[in-house]
Amino acid sequence: TKSINPWDPDDSPEAWVGLNQTNIASVVALVPAIQSAWQARCKALSDLPFCIYGKGDNVIDDSDGWKNTVGFMPNPRHFLWLTEAALVGYGQAYWLKQSNKYDVVKGSQYFVPSSVTCNINTDGLGGFTRNNGKGQIIYKPEDIIYFWLPDPAVEIGPPTIYPLASALISAKALNEINKFVSSYMERGAVKAMLLSATGMPSQEEAERVETWFNKFMRGVSLKWKVVNADVIKPTIVGEGLEAFKGITILDDLTRQVHTAMGTRHMLEDENYATAEVRQREFYTNTIVPDARLIS
């Protein structure tokens, strides 16, 4: 993965934060703000009541007493949950229509968005290429149920901007803070240090001291050691947890994540009246438009 490079011609969000499409979700999924917001959107959409209409606008099935009349969706809640999850995390979702020899759809299969490539040509959408881990399979456009979030910068195909991409920079910063706190506690809540030695020690001696000190630091709360202060002097580098005292970076990053994910109603500093309004906005501006797109 790439590091931040302002001279890189690739301007996609993934390039700027050093991530690619295949590992975005795995990197940030465990950041609490992202995980909670992602789950909230998926659960809210999959819990909406719905109906399936046949010819003449007759209701042939509904969410209250689902009978799978269509024959290819035994678990519609699961379908809706995965579709919303893919739209949030990738801006696109794909389902394979599994048909019999008479071209009657009998089943459906979810495809991980990063495993699907859209084949766009001068005539429009030419089909899809699916990498299933063993090889590539070509599908015609009518073989796939596909969902793309709209993007004014894209005429045909999946978007370049989607909720998780918008939240990535803040989410990655929160992830780094979590890793710093974890590392800090693992070494016994001791700040990072440089070891300065008198004279110019050999490489073997420097490695020996580094190895001993690293082992010592991992068990610093359990062991005591005597060292020659005239030979080795530890120098503190950086800050500890007190650096986060009195600043609002965590709150600011969390707020940015929920703003990008459309889940402002989940912020803890909202009062009841404001949270209620935010929740209505969440359904009006986020969940219902996605539901209409899926329908």
Side-chain angles (χ1 to χ4, degrees):
T1 57
K2 298 187 301 183
S3 60
I4 295 176
N5 181 356
W7 293 277
D8 194 316
D10 185 356
D11 258 347
S12 66
E14 296 90 345
W16 280 104
V17 298
L19 297 172
N20 57 46
Q21 185 69 285
T22 59
N23 68 2
I24 288 175
S26 62
V27 171
V28 303
L30 295 182
V31 173
I34 285 289
Q35 180 67 358
S36 60
W38 209 337
Q39 289 281 335
R41 288 188 60 154
C42 297
K43 292 176 180 178
L45 191 136
S46 65
D47 198 42
L48 289 178
F50 64 89
C51 297
I52 300 293
Y53 293 89
K55 294 181 180 180
D57 288 337
N58 294 320
V59 176
I60 61 174
D61 216 340
D62 62 60
S63 53
D64 289 335
W66 184 253
K67 299 180 293 291
N68 192 22
T69 304
V70 294
F72 58 85
M73 199 185 302
N75 191 344
R77 298 293 188 190
H78 189 60
F79 170 88
L80 294 171
W81 195 102
L82 285 174
T83 305
E84 176 67 2
L87 290 175
V88 173
Y90 300 89
Q92 52 192 306
Y94 302 97
W95 282 76
L96 171 66
K97 293 190 286 185
Q98 299 171 321
S99 305
N100 60 16
K101 63 180 180 180
Y102 303 107
D103 289 331
V104 176
V105 179
K106 292 295 186 180
S108 55
Q109 179 184 349
Y110 169 75
F111 283 166
V112 176
S114 57
S115 70
V116 178
T117 301
C118 303
N119 303 323
I120 310 294
N121 53 43
T122 54
D123 296 324
L125 178 62
F128 303 90
T129 300
R130 151 83 165 168
N131 188 340
N132 63 3
K134 298 179 181 179
Q136 293 186 338
I137 305 174
I138 305 298
Y139 293 102
K140 295 180 292 185
E142 59 267 26
D143 294 334
I144 302 290
I145 303 173
Y146 58 94
F147 310 85
W148 295 332
L149 289 180
D151 185 341
V154 177
E155 294 183 1
I156 300 176
T160 58
I161 296 298
Y162 40 90
L164 182 57
S166 179
L168 272 180
I169 294 179
S170 297
K172 191 166 186 291
L174 285 170
N175 188 47
E176 295 301 321
I177 291 174
N178 289 339
K179 289 194 294 186
F180 168 78
V181 174
S182 176
S183 176
Y184 181 75
M185 300 310 294
E186 279 183 0
R187 61 174 184 265
V190 175
K191 297 178 181 179
M193 297 182 183
L194 285 178
L195 296 181
S196 57
T198 302
M200 184 63 69
S202 65
Q203 181 177 351
E204 292 79 8
E205 180 65 11
E207 291 178 351
R208 185 186 69 82
V209 173
E210 288 176 1
T211 300
W212 167 80
F213 198 77
N214 284 329
K215 289 182 178 179
F216 164 67
M217 292 301 289
R218 286 192 176 276
V220 68
S221 60
L222 303 176
K223 298 179 181 178
W224 294 92
K225 291 286 184 179
V226 176
V227 299
N228 187 340
D230 293 331
V231 178
I232 299 175
K233 181 181 179 181
T235 302
I236 294 177
V237 178
E239 300 290 342
L241 295 183
E242 71 275 5
F244 295 101
K245 184 179 181 180
I247 61 176
T248 60
I249 184 170
L250 292 175
D251 292 339
D252 291 342
L253 291 173
T254 301
R255 183 176 295 275
Q256 289 179 26
V257 165
H258 282 293
T259 298
M261 297 289 280
T263 51
R264 283 285 302 274
H265 67 289
M266 298 180 67
L267 292 170
E268 294 181 356
D269 60 347
E270 300 279 7
N271 58 47
Y272 178 79
T274 306
E276 191 176 23
V277 172
R278 296 286 188 200
Q279 189 164 27
R280 288 201 300 269
E281 291 177 348
F282 169 62
Y283 277 92
T284 303
N285 301 330
T286 302
I287 297 304
V288 171
D290 279 7
R292 293 187 185 279
L293 173 66
I294 294 172
S295 69

